Amino acid sequence: MKHVVILGATGSIGCSTLSVLAAHPDRFRVLALTAATGVDKLFAQCQQFTPRFAAMQDPAAALLLQKKLKDAGSATEVLSGTEGLVALAAHPQADIVMAAIVGAAGLLPTLAAVEQGKTVLLANKEALVMTGELFMQKVAKHGATLLPIDSEHNAIFQCLPLPMQQAGHLTRLSEHGISRLLLTGSGGPFLNRPLDSFAQITVAEAVAHPNWTMGQKISVDSATMMNKGLEFIEARWLFNCAAADIQVVIHPQSIIHSMVQYTDGSVLAQLGQPDMRTPIAHALAFPERISSPVQPLDFFTLQSFTFKQPEAARYPNLYLAMAASAAGQGATTALNAANEVAVAAFLTEKIAFTTISKINEQCLNYFQSYQASSLDDILALDAETRAYARQLLGML
Ligand code: NDP
Ligand code: MG
């Protein structure tokens, strides 16, 4: 029996994880569930999965949850704040930690799980983008097992040869006969929208992804393709490769989830429904396979597959992320922080869709040569960039 902690249980990935766990009560036991403020949802999850612990980032929400659980006669113990999340991520009884908090808020609990050598299922790509080398060094030092949940990286992982799956970030692609990783992306809801109407894009349009149902922040990132940019950086760290080893390919149908090209001319792809329960089930059971509640693919009803290059004018954020990746850790930390501030401002209708990349670009230009290697440097740069981005927003 594996004991599972879900950081960000009430989100899109958290709920998909619980859906897979619910189908395998003989293999997995939910040890702890966490959220930020969503008391009612976490309470309902606690009632269904009876975890030993729950935690809320927000102390007032934690008190409310504690009262509701007590009144319902539940034995679940409630913790709060970043300390509470960190304690659960590092809990001695935890075997598997699903890192599914959105954004930089997930960094410290995710690192806490890594430092305890847990099996870490990484959905929270921002944590890796922010800390790259430091994160991977900690994985190696503490003997943690890092399994990608992001569908593209999970697909690439599935297409890698076994020795690379076992020691991926310590070896190089070329040692395994791999010539290139083909990172696919749908292109989001605005793949065919006229560029001159981008300034009028509404929040409702931006979060309506054609193929995937996801949280709001990643949905906007998919519309700007910052998501693919963050994934490009994520892939470089996870698979220890250079920028030239990765090609971004637009595949609007989202059935191929990414591919690995080998030097002998073979291309291995992983295909499936656009449903995160497939990569989640894969990583939960790895190296075994378990069933997931996902509909099987039916090739006679699928649309034709098409492929396209991403246009720079349509997706400036993708190219900013690639530039940041070339510039180094300070640049990627700063870009991630700027983007979180800009996307939050767009979601609250303070800025236009097209302003997101402008804020990101200005922050990247300002901070790209900053050095950030220790965790303290990284957290300070993250805070400084957020302050600068908010200052830019205030001048609009
Ligand atoms: P959601 O917004 O749906 O969920 C976010 C979760 O994190 C919620 O449980 C939320 O709690 C919690 N949370 C938010 N802010 C904080 C905070 N400050 N401190 C602690 N917990 C917090 O996001 P998604 O599930 O869509 O995404 C989660 C991560 O997975 C992201 O990094 C995303 O990029 C990645 N990912 C997501 C995919 C998807 O299909 N959704 C696909 C690939 C990667 P509350 O409900 O209380 O706010
Ligand atoms: Mg993805």
Side-chain angles (χ1 to χ4, degrees):
M1 185 69 83
K2 295 266 167 110
H3 290 83
V4 184
V5 173
I6 307 180
L7 304 169
T10 50
S12 162
I13 294 287
C15 293
S16 293
T17 306
L18 286 171
S19 160
V20 177
L21 295 180
H24 298 282
D26 49 323
R27 280 179 170 260
F28 303 107
R29 172 98 187 84
V30 178
L31 176 67
L33 298 174
T34 84
T37 55
V39 173
D40 291 345
K41 204 157 178 183
L42 197 61
F43 174 72
Q45 291 179 339
C46 287
Q47 291 291 82
Q48 186 182 349
F49 292 93
T50 59
R52 198 172 142 205
F53 303 100
M56 312 249 15
Q57 172 73 35
D58 179 58
L63 283 176
L64 203 59
L65 178 70
Q66 193 170 29
K67 180 169 185 325
K68 283 183 77 137
L69 285 168
K70 195 165 167 248
D71 291 350
S74 160
T76 300
E77 192 180 320
V78 180
L79 284 71
S80 81
T82 303
E83 321 79 66
L85 303 185
V86 164
L88 294 182
H91 195 279
Q93 267 190 333
D95 301 302
I96 298 176
V97 177
M98 167 58 82
I101 292 173
V102 60
L107 177 63
L108 295 179
T110 304
L111 283 182
V114 168
E115 285 166 355
Q116 293 304 315
K118 306 290 186 197
T119 293
V120 177
L121 275 46
L122 185 72
N124 181 205
K125 65 192 89 185
E126 296 92 345
L128 183 55
V129 168
M130 282 177 80
T131 57
E133 188 169 15
L134 180 87
F135 192 109
M136 298 311 292
Q137 277 170 352
K138 284 186 186 286
V139 168
K141 180 173 169 199
H142 301 285
T145 301
L146 185 63
L147 295 170
I149 291 298
D150 216 343
S151 57
E152 297 75 4
H153 306 73
N154 182 272
I156 290 169
F157 184 88
Q158 292 198 45
C159 297
L160 293 176
L162 187 65
M164 178 106 195
Q165 289 180 336
Q166 286 166 339
H169 54 281
L170 303 174
T171 60
R172 301 211 64 99
L173 297 180
S174 56
E175 292 169 38
H176 301 278
I178 295 168
S179 54
R180 216 158 44 163
L181 305 180
L182 302 170
L183 186 68
T184 58
S186 68
F190 309 129
L191 177 63
N192 299 309
R193 181 171 173 134
L195 288 179
D196 60 8
S197 71
F198 267 43
Q200 286 83 52
I201 287 170
T202 65
V203 171
E205 287 171 335
V207 299
H209 196 280
N211 308 328
W212 297 93
T213 310
M214 307 181 287
Q216 294 223 313
K217 192 258 176 184
I218 184 175
S219 296
V220 175
D221 283 349
S222 298
T224 65
M225 275 191 93
M226 174 56 89
N227 184 48
K228 211 51 54 188
L230 297 176
E231 290 182 359
F232 178 91
I233 300 165
E234 183 185 12
R236 286 197 60 191
W237 290 117
L238 286 175
F239 306 118
N240 189 25
C241 62
D245 296 329
I246 307 173
Q247 187 170 52
V248 175
V249 179
I250 291 188
H251 162 53
Q253 296 79 23
S254 300
I255 297 293
I256 297 174
H257 297 305
S258 280
M259 300 177 266
V260 176
Q261 193 156 39
Y262 285 81
T263 48
D264 63 5
S266 300
V267 176
L268 301 192
Q270 187 262 353
L271 283 70
Q273 301 286 2
D275 186 323
M276 290 305 294
R277 292 177 298 181
T278 295
I280 290 168
H282 168 264
L284 278 171
F286 183 80
E288 290 177 54
R289 292 273 177 179
I290 53 171
S291 63
S292 82
V294 177
Q295 284 294 311
L297 277 185
D298 173 2
F299 281 83
F300 298 122
T301 57
L302 284 181
Q303 303 170 53
S304 304
F305 292 171
T306 54
F307 304 96
K308 206 170 161 172
Q309 279 193 15
E311 299 163 65
R314 187 171 293 276
Y315 303 114
N317 273 324
L318 169 63
Y319 293 89
L320 287 176
M322 288 176 166
S325 177
Q329 186 62 68
T332 54
T333 303
L335 182 64
N336 178 67
N339 185 59
E340 287 192 30
V341 172
V343 170
F346 171 70
L347 282 169
T348 49
E349 298 182 340
K350 294 195 181 85
I351 60 170
F353 183 79
T354 41
T355 308
I356 299 173
S357 63
K358 297 202 175 94
I359 299 284
N360 289 346
E361 186 173 12
Q362 286 188 56
C363 290
L364 182 59
N365 287 342
Y366 192 84
F367 291 106
Q368 67 179 336
S369 55
Y370 273 51
Q371 303 295 316
S373 44
S374 71
L375 187 58
D376 285 347
D377 290 349
I378 288 169
L379 293 174
L381 178 57
D382 175 80
E384 208 180 326
T385 311
R386 283 167 198 268
Y388 184 71
R390 289 198 188 99
Q391 201 182 319
L392 293 175
L393 290 173
M395 293 187 310
L396 289 173

